[in-house]
Amino acid sequence: MFRAIAARLKQGHRTTRYPAEPVPMPDRFRGYPRLDASACPDGCRVCADVCPVGAITPGTRDSDPNNGPKGLGTRENLSIDLGKCLFCPDCSEACPRGAITYTNDPALAANRREDLIVRPGDERRLAQALEQKMLSLFGRSLKFREVSAAGCNACEADTNVLSTIGWDLGRFGIQFVASPRHADGLWVTGPVSENMKDALLATYEAIPAPKIVVACGACAINGGPFIDSPEVHNGVDRLLPVDLFIPGCPPHPVTILDGLLRLLGKLEGA
């Protein structure tokens, strides 16, 4: 017993101090993208062509000289849809001018699907807190029932790790439960296959109102690498209203935790 106590004292604090302190991210982590429209010439589609899921819209200029200021045509900015993005390095490695780079910033979650589309110069639109009535219900205790709707288990694994001692999700009052009857919200991973559609909808109906829905990962948001397959529904928001979108393939645990804390108003500037 004394050896165990001594070992525990030697180990010190094991749980990450986030959000009081930032979590150091590995150098190879690809987070929020940085886009440089000036480095994106007309007619270049290199980044868009190599993207495996069609997440990139290349910058183009309207060919009609009567449009735009001084008759130069209108400009369509380069953009990345983080809801589709797998955060692979293909686009940044293929671009010869460095128009696309990825920062080390893990904060990616948003409340609205359209807020996941990133354009140069746009104001960043991260997740905002629930309305006050919902916060009064869920701010101190939020329980989720998770449905893996044909996921590969990557998003599920990075969600599960938040319940370990290293993250201790329960200290924020957030837990995952076995029964939808005991849940406040639905946590969805996977592209929602046809075989899982009925189970997903039945689980949602079994959760008492009011309730929230979280789409975790590229598959749950837009189908991920399975996008447009006839066997999937390209994510959950075509079937249910979604309150929080967490991008990634899979999302890093910090990205997931950051989104949840913003939703509950537990982050400054959220």
Side-chain angles (χ1 to χ4, degrees):
M1 176 179 176
F2 292 108
R3 289 183 180 180
I5 295 174
R8 186 67 187 87
L9 292 173
K10 185 177 181 180
Q11 290 172 357
H13 197 278
R14 299 291 298 274
T15 304
T16 175
R17 298 182 185 275
Y18 187 84
E21 298 177 8
V23 176
M25 303 302 292
D27 292 338
R28 64 181 181 177
F29 174 76
R30 288 179 290 276
Y32 197 82
R34 181 183 292 118
L35 308 182
D36 182 1
S38 64
C40 191
D42 293 334
C44 180
R45 292 188 47 86
V46 172
C47 58
D49 289 341
V50 300
C51 181
V53 289
I56 300 175
T57 300
T60 58
R61 189 178 291 281
D62 192 336
S63 59
D64 186 349
N66 296 318
N67 293 333
K70 300 181 180 180
L72 296 178
T74 57
R75 179 86 184 179
E76 178 69 27
N77 274 337
L78 170 71
S79 67
I80 297 182
D81 185 346
L82 298 185
K84 293 182 178 180
C85 185
L86 305 182
F87 292 84
C88 71
D90 290 359
C91 58
S92 57
E93 291 179 353
C95 180
R97 298 173 180 84
I100 301 175
T101 55
Y102 288 90
T103 70
N104 221 226
D105 189 341
L108 302 170
N111 301 108
R112 303 184 304 166
R113 180 67 182 85
E114 56 267 32
D115 289 343
L116 296 179
I117 299 177
V118 178
R119 300 180 181 87
D122 277 6
E123 180 181 357
R124 192 168 175 183
R125 301 177 295 273
L126 294 173
Q128 300 296 305
L130 293 166
E131 62 181 33
Q132 192 57 45
K133 181 179 179 180
M134 297 290 275
L135 275 182
S136 66
L137 292 172
F138 304 141
R140 294 187 178 183
S141 177
L142 179 60
K143 315 298 184 186
F144 285 107
R145 176 64 173 98
E146 198 269 346
V147 172
S148 178
C152 72
N153 204 42
C155 293
E156 294 85 343
D158 275 6
T159 298
N160 287 342
V161 77
L162 289 172
S163 298
T164 65
I165 190 174
W167 299 92
D168 191 14
L169 188 65
R171 64 193 162 114
F172 302 108
I174 307 171
Q175 293 178 322
F176 287 84
V177 294
S179 170
R181 301 292 185 189
H182 302 158
D184 304 305
L186 179 64
W187 189 276
V188 185
T189 56
V192 188
S193 66
E194 181 61 26
N195 286 342
M196 283 299 298
K197 176 185 174 182
D198 289 346
L200 176 69
L201 296 178
T203 302
Y204 178 77
E205 289 301 322
I207 298 173
K211 48 195 166 187
I212 63 178
V213 177
V214 175
C216 180
C219 285
I221 297 173
N222 213 93
F226 310 102
I227 186 171
D228 292 335
S229 165
E231 300 301 323
V232 304
H233 291 271
N234 286 352
V236 64
D237 70 337
R238 303 187 183 199
L239 302 172
L240 298 172
V242 175
D243 300 278
L244 184 67
F245 297 89
I246 306 177
C249 187
H252 192 281
V254 178
T255 301
I256 299 173
L257 182 56
D258 178 89
L260 286 171
L261 295 183
R262 290 180 187 278
L263 191 69
L264 296 179
K266 296 181 182 291
L267 277 181
E268 293 184 6

